[in-house]
Amino acid sequence: MTTELVQLSHKGPIATIVLNRADKLNALNAEMLTALEAYADELDRNQDVRVVLLAGTGRAFCVGADIFEWSDLSPLEMGRRWIRDGHRIFARYARLPQPVIAVLNGYTFGGGLELALAADLRLAAEEVQLSFPEVKLGIIPGWGGTQRLAQLVGPSRAKQMIFTGESLSAEQAEKWGLVNEVVPADQLAARALELAESIAANGPVAVQMTKQLIDAAMPASGDNGTVLETLAGSLAAYTADAQEGVSAFRQRRQPQFSGR
Ligand code: COA
C-alpha cells in the first residue's frame, strides 16, 4: 500500500494500523478507505496476527468522513460509492477473525466513531471526546453508526447522542459501555499493548471462535438497517439543509437550517 495516510506495522503477533493524516484530524478520504480495505484483506489472511490495534496520530483518532470529498458527490455516487464503501470496509474490520481494539487518543467523531464501533473493544485517553455531529451538518451518520451505536448502548442513549450531536466525555462513554476503559493519555499506548498482549497470549483459535460466537448472539446483523442507512444517507446529503450545513462548516459559521 503506497499511501502514507494509513500505516500498518507489526510487533510480534500484534498488528497496528495508524490513521496518519494529523493535519486534517485523520478525516477519512477515499485514499484512506482504499488503504483500510487493503489492510483488512491482508490481516484477514495473516494467521500470525492475533490482535489488531487501530489508532490515530495527533489530536484525533478520526473526525469522520472527509466533508470536502463527499460533499461534491452526486446522490447516486453518495449511496453507491461513499456510503456502501464505508459499510463494506468497516464490516471487514468487524468481521476480521482477530480481535480489533480501537485506541482512541483524541476526537472520535462521526465516521471515526463508526470505525471505532466496528472494533471489538475501545480504549480511550481521558480527554477524548466522542460524538456523532452529522445532524449539525444536516446529514446522518451513514457508515453503520445508527445501527452499531444502538446495539452497543441501547436505542435511547444512541438517540440522545445522534439527535443532539453533542460530545460525550470518555468518562461518560465508559459509563454507557461505549468504551471499555479510560486511561491517562501518557499510558494509552502502553495499556493498548498490554491488552493486546494479554489477548495474544491466549489460544488464537479459541479467541477467534468466541469473537464469532458473541457476534452471532447480537440481534439481527444490521443488514436491513444498513440498506435503510444507505438510502437515508444519500437523501439527507442532498437536502437544502445539508447544503447549508456543509457551507456553514466550510465558512466556519453556525448553519441556518430550514427543514427542507
Ligand atoms: N472533513 C474534512 N476536513 C476536516 C474534518 C472533516 N470531517 N474535520 C476537520 N477537518 C479539517 C479542518 O477543515 C481543518 O483543516 P484546515 O486546517 O486545512 O482548515 C483541520 O481539519 C483542523 O480542524 P479544525 O476545525 O481547524 O480544528 P478544531 O480543533 O478547531 O476543531 C473539531 C476540531 C473536530 C471540533 C472540528 O474540526 C469539527 O467539528 N470537524 C467536523 C467533524 C464532523 O462533522 N464530522 C462528521 C463528518 S461527516
Side-chain angles (χ1 to χ4, degrees):
M1 185 46 56
T2 50
T3 181
E4 289 293 307
L5 301 181
V6 188
Q7 296 170 340
L8 171 64
S9 62
H10 295 268
K11 181 170 188 261
I14 298 160
T16 303
I17 291 182
V18 176
L19 304 176
N20 185 37
R21 194 187 181 205
D23 58 331
K24 301 292 180 190
L25 304 179
N26 299 323
L28 292 169
N29 61 17
E31 188 178 324
M32 294 167 82
L33 290 175
T34 302
L36 280 171
E37 185 160 38
Y39 289 145
D41 283 343
E42 199 176 317
L43 293 167
D44 206 326
R45 284 192 296 269
N46 190 339
Q47 299 294 323
D48 296 332
V49 172
R50 296 190 181 180
V51 181
V52 178
L53 299 176
L54 264 178
T57 49
R59 294 194 289 134
F61 170 68
C62 170
V63 289
D66 186 320
I67 294 169
F68 300 100
E69 284 216 6
W70 64 254
S71 54
D72 290 331
L73 299 175
S74 73
L76 277 180
E77 286 172 326
M78 184 80 184
R80 281 184 189 151
R81 236 181 68 198
W82 194 249
I83 298 178
R84 292 188 67 216
D85 282 357
H87 282 159
R88 186 185 68 252
I89 296 163
F90 289 11
R92 291 299 313 270
Y93 282 86
R95 291 180 195 145
L96 276 180
Q98 306 93 340
V100 179
I101 305 175
V103 185
L104 312 179
N105 55 309
Y107 294 118
T108 302
F109 281 13
L113 181 49
E114 288 170 312
L115 180 59
L117 284 167
D120 299 292
L121 311 181
R122 283 149 293 280
L123 186 63
E126 278 168 351
E127 45 285 291
V128 164
Q129 295 176 39
L130 305 97
S131 90
F132 276 118
E134 281 83 353
V135 292
K136 290 179 186 284
L137 291 166
I139 59 162
I140 68 158
W143 280 343
T146 61
Q147 311 300 299
R148 289 200 176 97
L149 183 67
Q151 283 204 11
L152 192 61
V153 303
S156 182
R157 286 173 165 163
K159 285 175 183 169
Q160 182 179 340
M161 253 189 113
I162 291 175
F163 292 172
T164 64
E166 284 173 7
S167 294
L168 223 57
S169 66
E171 188 189 2
Q172 189 64 36
E174 188 184 21
K175 282 191 194 138
W176 282 14
L178 179 47
V179 303
N180 295 70
E181 264 184 51
V182 180
V183 295
D186 62 356
Q187 292 170 27
L188 184 69
R191 178 62 188 140
L193 201 57
E194 185 180 62
L195 204 52
E197 282 169 347
S198 145
I199 296 170
N202 297 326
V205 176
V207 168
Q208 293 178 15
M209 282 182 170
T210 56
K211 168 169 172 166
Q212 288 169 53
L213 287 167
I214 294 167
D215 287 344
M218 295 294 116
S221 65
D223 284 350
N224 289 341
T226 48
V227 169
L228 288 173
E229 207 181 61
T230 306
L231 294 173
S234 306
L235 180 66
Y238 290 90
T239 57
D241 276 350
Q243 311 288 331
E244 167 61 9
V246 171
S247 300
F249 180 79
R250 286 175 189 262
Q251 294 160 17
R252 295 181 177 266
R253 62 171 172 80
Q254 285 300 311
Q256 300 293 322
F257 291 126
S258 63
R260 284 179 291 122

